[in-house]
């Protein structure tokens, strides 16, 4: 008697499952927000508070505190309050209308995430000058992240979307969680004696600052990691191994670093803007937040090639743990170094900025940068070895999508670039782009064969026949320099 196996999941079932997972990510972020609201509601009231609103963000701002940010905090809070019934309504609609379930679930996720971009409107509007100053270096960092992929690459719009998540949603979530802490922490940590002495104030401030370090390490990485998780769920067909994961995480961290750089540059009316730009947009551009989130992305890339669900969860949890621990340790030691360097070294400002600070970055953030570079190197080698086998096997089929002459070209990025430059010289930018599309289509076909050989089936990924026909159709598209099909030739 033959054993009956359950039918393979269809593409529609897979999309529905992934959208439910995306909605779960949004619900988790909203649940964390809810916990902070409850803690704030239960806070003890101190005598010096001018207002006693149910939620601290609805209180009048303290003396000396600028009011515009608190206005945006209130708007963000009311967006959160309204998002709960709206998301519930969308979820109920998804239960009733099965054929539109994915769309209603996506709408519910967007509504739940709405408070965090709203929270960032203050930074985006008041610090627009500093944001524009940081855009060129941020674009350069994203270009470097894109160039990390030597073979099959993630679409450029996907990198821009993940960077946008880090800049808007990730930074908004992390910033709002940090602001919740600083809003209610004094109520819990201040001694309830009616009058605070200078010693009490100093001790309370130190405790709040220590908690802020923990809050930043945990919630900023959760906010950025949520974007990586959503990108992994929606773009899994383009995620091949640890290389793709690192690229997704690094792009998210670059976007987060853009907004945080503008915030720090704007402090004290821009008095230290040049120093902050050097630290965050030059010295730490490929480290810090980019390195932290690259560790999270690497864990998703590794999980892509693991079959056991429990092992995948462990890998992703380890990625989050590494990022949070590295972020926390970096903030702690950087703060300790900043307080104690005058006692240890007594350096001049120039030596401190150009010598000691880079050394501190190298010691504290260098290991994590080395980690993602080593993982990137290993993942690239795995892709090269796999493509050498799969492209040769595809050429042996005789279908014409890949020939034996194509294989050595596709396996060497420098040769591909050389051929594209020749195409640019003879046929212009259209021929350059056409040859790039052909190379990527052939590499994507090879990667699809690799995933099939490893039993890494993904229902949303086009099958090999579809990818092969796509390659052939690109080959037969006319180019400006010739009417015959353009295909890569071996470089002698």
């Amino acid at each position: 008697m033959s054993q009956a196996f359950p039918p393979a999941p269809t593409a529609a079932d897979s999309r529905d499952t992934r959208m439910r997972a995306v909605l779960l990510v949004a619900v988790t972020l909203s649940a964390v927000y809810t916990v902070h609201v409850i803690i704030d509601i239960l806070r003890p009231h101190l005598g010096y508070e001018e207002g006693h609103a149910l939620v601290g963000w609805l209180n009048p701002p303290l003396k000396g505190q600028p009011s515009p940010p608190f206005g945006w905090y209130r708007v963000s809070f009311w967006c959160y309050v309204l998002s709960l019934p709206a998301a519930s309504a969308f979820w109920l609609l998804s239960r009733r209308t099965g054929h539109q379930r994915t769309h209603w679930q996506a709408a519910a996720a967007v509504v739940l995430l709405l408070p965090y971009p709203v929270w960032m409107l203050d930074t985006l509007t008041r610090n627009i000058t500093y944001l524009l100053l940081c855009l060129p270096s941020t674009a350069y960092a994203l270009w470097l992240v894109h160039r990390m992929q030597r073979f099959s690459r993630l679409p450029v719009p996907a990198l821009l979307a993940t960077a946008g998540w880090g800049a808007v949603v990730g930074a908004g979530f992390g910033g709002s969680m940090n602001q919740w802490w600083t809003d209610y922490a004094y109520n819990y940590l201040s001694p309830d004696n009616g009058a605070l002495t200078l010693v009490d104030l100093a001790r309370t401030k130190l405790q709040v600052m220590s908690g802020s370090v923990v809050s930043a390490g945990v919630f900023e990485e959760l906010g950025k990691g949520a974007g990586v998780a959503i990108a992994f769920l929606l773009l899994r067909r383009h995620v091949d191994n640890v290389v793709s994961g690192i690229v997704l995480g690094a792009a998210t961290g670059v976007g987060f670093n853009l907004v945080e750089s503008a915030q720090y540059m704007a402090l004290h009316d821009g008095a230290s803007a040049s120093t902050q730009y050097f630290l965050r947009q030059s010295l730490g551009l490929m480290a810090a937040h980019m390195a932290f989130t690259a560790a999270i992305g690497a864990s998703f890339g590794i999980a892509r090639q693991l079959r056991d669900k429990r092992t995948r969860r462990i890998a992703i949890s380890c990625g989050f743990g590494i990022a949070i621990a590295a972020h926390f340790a970096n903030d702690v030691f950087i703060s300790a170094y900043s307080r104690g360097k005058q006692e240890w070294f007594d350096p001049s400002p120039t030596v401190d900025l150009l010598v000691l600070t880079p050394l501190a970055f190298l010691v504290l953030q260098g290991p994590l940068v080395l980690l993602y570079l080593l993982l990137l190197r290993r993942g690239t080698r795995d892709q090269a070895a796999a493509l050498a086998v799969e492209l040769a096997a595809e050429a042996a089929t005789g279908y014409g999508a890949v020939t034996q002459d194509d294989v050595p070209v596709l396996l060497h990025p420098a040769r591909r670039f050389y051929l594209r430059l020749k195409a640019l010289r003879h046929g212009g930018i259209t021929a350059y782009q056409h040859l790039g599309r052909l190379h990527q289509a052939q590499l994507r076909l090879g990667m699809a064969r690799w995933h099939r050989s490893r039993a890494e089936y993904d229902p949303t990924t086009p099958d090999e026949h579809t990818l092969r026909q796509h390659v052939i159709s690109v080959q037969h598209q006319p180019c400006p320099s010739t009417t015959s099909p353009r295909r890569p030739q071996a470089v002698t």
Side-chain angles (χ1 to χ4, degrees), residues 7 19 55 77 82 136 140 152 168 212 224 238 258 364 366 414 458:
M19 190 51 63
V55 177
F77 172 75
L82 296 175
Y140 174 67
S152 182
V168 179
S212 298
K224 293 184 292 179
H238 298 288
L258 168 65
L364 297 177
D458 185 359

Side-chain angles (χ1 to χ4, degrees), residues 97-160:
T97 56
H99 63 287
Q100 294 181 345
R101 179 181 302 140
T102 301
H103 301 290
W104 287 116
Q105 289 174 341
V110 170
V111 169
L112 288 174
L113 296 172
L114 184 61
Y116 315 122
V118 170
W119 194 92
M120 286 305 300
L121 286 177
D122 171 62
T123 296
L124 298 176
T125 53
R126 295 200 305 156
N127 303 328
I128 185 65
T129 302
Y130 298 110
L131 283 170
L132 293 176
L133 288 174
C134 295
L135 276 180
S137 53
T138 299
Y140 174 67
L142 286 175
W143 179 79
L144 290 178
V145 170
H146 181 64
R147 298 300 300 178
M148 288 178 178
Q149 307 165 98
R150 296 177 63 83
F151 298 104
S152 182
R153 293 174 174 172
L154 288 160
V156 173
L159 291 186
L160 296 177

Side-chain angles (χ1 to χ4, degrees), residues 45-203:
H45 295 289
L46 299 179
Y48 62 82
E49 285 186 318
E50 297 182 5
H52 297 284
L54 183 63
V55 177
W57 283 10
L58 302 180
N59 277 330
L62 298 176
K63 294 180 180 180
Q65 173 67 46
S67 57
F70 278 85
W72 286 114
Y73 301 162
R74 296 188 187 104
V75 173
S76 174
F77 172 75
W78 287 120
C79 286
Y80 159 75
V81 172
L82 296 175
S83 70
L84 299 181
S88 301
F90 289 146
W91 182 77
L92 290 175
L93 287 171
S94 72
R95 302 281 291 180
R96 293 182 178 181
T97 56
H99 63 287
Q100 294 181 345
R101 179 181 302 140
T102 301
H103 301 290
W104 287 116
Q105 289 174 341
V110 170
V111 169
L112 288 174
L113 296 172
L114 184 61
Y116 315 122
V118 170
W119 194 92
M120 286 305 300
L121 286 177
D122 171 62
T123 296
L124 298 176
T125 53
R126 295 200 305 156
N127 303 328
I128 185 65
T129 302
Y130 298 110
L131 283 170
L132 293 176
L133 288 174
C134 295
L135 276 180
S137 53
T138 299
Y140 174 67
L142 286 175
W143 179 79
L144 290 178
V145 170
H146 181 64
R147 298 300 300 178
M148 288 178 178
Q149 307 165 98
R150 296 177 63 83
F151 298 104
S152 182
R153 293 174 174 172
L154 288 160
V156 173
L159 291 186
L160 296 177
T162 53
W165 173 283
V168 179
V169 182
F173 176 79
S176 61
M177 295 300 102
N178 295 338
Q179 188 62 44
W180 276 115
W181 165 258
T182 56
D183 182 68
Y184 62 67
Y186 283 97
N187 297 64
Y188 284 97
L189 299 176
S190 299
D192 189 13
N193 54 12
L196 297 179
T197 65
L198 293 178
V199 176
D200 293 334
L201 286 173
R203 183 185 300 112

Side-chain angles (χ1 to χ4, degrees), residues 402-480:
V402 179
T403 67
Q404 293 294 341
D405 291 336
D406 298 337
V407 175
V409 175
L410 295 172
L411 293 177
H412 292 83
R415 294 187 181 183
R416 299 201 308 268
F417 182 64
Y418 172 72
L419 285 177
R420 294 185 70 185
L421 288 180
K422 289 183 64 177
L424 178 65
R425 184 176 61 185
H426 295 292
I429 189 64
T430 304
Y432 177 85
Q433 295 173 343
H434 173 268
L435 194 55
R437 288 194 298 269
L438 176 58
H439 289 160
Q440 281 302 304
Q442 291 172 316
L443 290 170
R444 177 50 55 190
L445 174 60
M447 297 305 293
R449 292 179 58 95
W450 182 38
H451 291 309
R452 178 179 60 79
S453 68
R454 293 174 53 89
E456 296 169 356
Y457 174 71
D458 185 359
T460 62
T461 302
D463 57 24
E464 292 175 25
H465 174 73
T466 303
L467 293 173
R468 189 177 293 116
Q469 292 302 314
H470 175 64
V471 173
I472 295 174
S473 66
V474 174
Q475 288 174 348
H476 287 80
Q477 290 176 1
C479 290

Side-chain angles (χ1 to χ4, degrees), residues 336-347 352 356:
Y337 167 75
S338 299
R339 291 193 302 267
K341 62 185 177 183
Q342 297 296 334
E343 300 177 1
W344 302 336
F345 305 106
D346 191 22
D352 179 28
L356 296 182

